[in-house]
Amino acid sequence: MLIVAKNDKAHIAISNQIQNRKVTKIYLALVRGIVQEEEATINMPIRRSTKDRKKMAVAPNGKEATTHFKVVERFGKYTFLEIHIETRKNTPNKSTYGPDRTPSSRRYSIL
């Protein structure tokens, strides 16, 4: 979705709502693979992918993030998901995820 403000007053109001986390962002994604869980929560740090800046990726030095998803529908080898991502501000010099907390080997590709 693209949000367009009609004037400066509206732009400031929208910007403040986004900055103060008053806006709920819900994403829809078609992923390659059959997601077994009906819904789940993933707690992994994310940041922009180093391979493709348009994508986000799990990375030990990323922002702490909690991703909630639920299956909307399954289509053969694909799963349609509703996703809600919560990010928090990074805490300097504090590592939340160590080597024993690596992402699951099960991966899905967002199409």
Side-chain angles (χ1 to χ4, degrees):
M1 177 195 293
L2 175 66
I3 300 173
V4 179
K6 292 178 99 176
N7 54 49
D8 287 340
K9 183 177 178 181
H11 178 259
I12 291 167
I14 292 167
S15 295
N16 286 337
Q17 289 174 36
I18 292 170
Q19 185 175 10
N20 294 323
R21 299 181 184 264
K22 301 291 183 191
V23 176
T24 301
K25 300 174 194 171
I26 298 173
Y27 302 89
L28 298 174
L30 182 63
V31 299
R32 183 178 296 125
I34 305 300
V35 177
Q36 297 301 319
E37 303 90 343
E38 287 301 317
E39 57 184 68
T41 298
I42 302 166
N43 292 300
M44 299 298 297
I46 59 173
R47 70 168 192 180
R48 292 238 174 251
S49 169
T50 55
K51 295 177 183 174
D52 185 346
R53 300 280 305 151
K54 296 177 198 165
K55 296 181 180 180
M56 300 299 284
V58 171
N61 59 344
K63 283 185 178 183
E64 290 182 35
T66 300
T67 305
H68 307 280
F69 72 84
K70 66 179 176 179
V71 171
V72 176
E73 195 168 341
R74 292 180 181 88
F75 303 97
K77 296 180 182 179
Y78 302 93
T79 308
F80 188 50
L81 301 174
E82 180 180 293
I83 302 170
H84 177 247
I85 301 173
E86 299 173 32
T87 55
R88 294 170 289 286
K89 292 184 179 180
N90 285 340
T91 306
N93 302 320
K94 183 176 179 185
S95 176
T96 304
Y97 299 96
D100 59 333
R101 295 185 183 176
T102 56
S104 166
S105 60
R106 184 187 310 157
R107 295 188 178 221
Y108 303 101
S109 301
I110 296 179
L111 303 176

